[in-house]
Amino acid sequence: MKQFSLTDDLGILHKFDAIPQRIISLVPSQTELLVDLGLESKIVGITKFCVHPENLRKHKTIVGGTKKVDYDKIKALNPDIIICNKEENTLEIVENLRKITTVWVTNVITIEDNQKMISDFGNLFGCVAEAGNWNQKITLALNDFKQFIENKPIQKVAYFIWKNPYMVAGSNTFINELLQLNRFENVYANQSRYPEVDIENSNEDVDFVFLSSEPYPFKEKDVLEMTHFCPETKIFLVDGEMFSWHGSRLLKALNYFKELHQRL
């Protein structure tokens, strides 16, 4: 095969002599995407948070988490490429990994970014047809969901991702993009990324509070606790994977969102 070049989401041009055959993924959602693209046999290393598909951690080497990795384990796996994400992994990790091999960094904030990432993986790993099929399925499901949602009223939402301190999803996040898709007005969209909030003194007018299952695993007891701060607001536990995972997970998320709207 001839050499080829591709540019990642940080604008870094990578040159390849051949299609990468040994992949380490440090991004759980993108690990799932790699498997869905038919690349499971090429994955040699994953994080402890790469829980989909369920059996993957039994067969692949776990090299750490998303914020802390075992560099010796990674070196020993002799990877051709390491997949990272600007939000999930630290700049320090990415810079250290570059000393080992090629590091491809994604940055997914919009649905268009997500489609581009799938296409990039298709070109990067020689599975263009599979990537095209996934993008086509997601596009069809998106069109269907937009018809489902078009006459729904816009409702104000606060989406919590963390406790002690309480943190929410703001603008410039994939979560915010999917809230907008659902015609949810994010009351914290005037703040960037994941700001801390003081819910005891909050005067936000909110229709719904969403407590995510990740990264903080909110439970029913947290719903009760939150009720003390906003007794007039409906509070729901939501599946954080559906709102924050990139890649092929978006297809499942669109069905989940339909079910969520029926619960509200």
Side-chain angles (χ1 to χ4, degrees):
M1 179 183 174
K2 293 181 180 179
Q3 291 183 334
F4 67 100
S5 301
L6 289 170
T7 303
D8 72 13
D9 289 345
L10 295 188
I12 296 175
L13 179 67
H14 299 278
K15 296 181 179 180
F16 300 92
D17 292 326
I19 292 171
Q21 299 297 313
R22 296 180 62 79
I23 307 167
I24 290 177
S25 173
L26 301 183
V27 190
S29 60
Q30 290 165 204
T31 300
E32 179 180 52
L33 171 60
L34 291 169
V35 172
D36 285 339
L37 291 175
L39 300 167
E40 182 172 349
S41 63
K42 294 185 178 183
I43 300 171
V44 295
I46 59 175
T47 75
K48 61 184 177 181
F49 302 116
C50 294
V51 295
H52 298 294
E54 288 183 19
N55 65 339
L56 197 64
R57 289 181 299 172
K58 297 178 182 177
H59 309 295
K60 305 297 180 181
T61 301
I62 295 174
V63 298
T66 55
K67 309 298 185 194
K68 186 177 180 181
V69 298
D70 186 324
Y71 295 106
D72 290 333
K73 272 190 177 181
I74 289 173
K75 286 180 185 176
L77 289 171
N78 193 29
D80 297 323
I81 193 168
I82 302 170
I83 303 296
C84 290
N85 175 262
K86 185 179 178 181
E87 179 176 295
E88 292 276 346
N89 312 117
T90 67
L91 178 59
E92 179 186 9
I93 285 176
V94 169
E95 289 178 342
N96 286 332
L97 292 174
R98 290 198 198 284
K99 300 171 185 175
I100 299 173
T101 191
T102 299
V103 180
W104 182 275
V105 182
T106 65
N107 184 29
V108 182
I109 296 173
T110 67
I111 291 171
E112 289 75 18
D113 292 338
N114 195 66
Q115 304 287 79
K116 177 183 177 297
M117 177 186 66
I118 295 173
S119 294
D120 283 347
F121 279 17
N123 291 320
L124 190 55
F125 297 114
C127 53
V128 172
E130 291 85 350
N133 286 339
W134 271 102
N135 270 336
Q136 184 177 35
K137 287 190 288 187
I138 290 172
T139 297
L140 289 172
L142 270 169
N143 291 337
D144 174 70
F145 183 75
K146 287 175 181 177
Q147 288 184 331
F148 167 82
I149 202 74
E150 64 181 348
N151 294 319
K152 302 278 186 189
I154 294 175
Q155 299 176 95
K156 294 184 177 182
V157 167
Y159 188 103
F160 284 78
I161 64 158
W162 200 257
K163 181 180 180 181
N164 299 322
Y166 279 110
M167 297 172 68
V168 295
S171 60
N172 298 313
T173 63
F174 194 58
I175 292 171
N176 187 62
E177 171 89 348
L178 295 188
L179 290 174
Q180 289 181 319
L181 176 67
N182 280 276
R183 294 179 67 81
F184 294 136
E185 180 184 335
N186 183 358
V187 296
Y188 291 105
N190 61 331
Q191 300 186 56
S192 183
R193 309 299 293 159
Y194 303 104
E196 292 183 22
V197 295
D198 179 5
I199 61 172
E200 292 186 44
N201 299 304
S202 174
N203 57 0
E204 296 287 353
D205 177 23
V206 182
D207 295 309
F208 304 115
V209 166
F210 290 163
L211 302 181
S212 180
S213 61
E214 65 166 58
Y216 184 89
F218 284 102
K219 305 289 189 220
E220 287 293 345
K221 64 180 181 180
D222 299 301
V223 174
L224 294 174
E225 187 175 320
M226 186 71 73
T227 302
H228 295 305
F229 300 113
C230 41
E232 304 300 320
T233 303
K234 294 180 179 178
I235 303 165
F236 293 90
L237 296 173
V238 296
D239 188 334
E241 291 178 0
M242 298 301 181
F243 276 97
S244 65
W245 279 39
H246 315 134
S248 47
R249 174 54 56 120
L250 183 56
L251 190 63
K252 292 180 180 178
L254 293 168
N255 283 327
Y256 172 82
F257 295 152
K258 286 183 178 181
E259 296 171 1
L260 178 62
H261 281 280
Q262 290 165 0
R263 286 170 49 202
L264 299 180

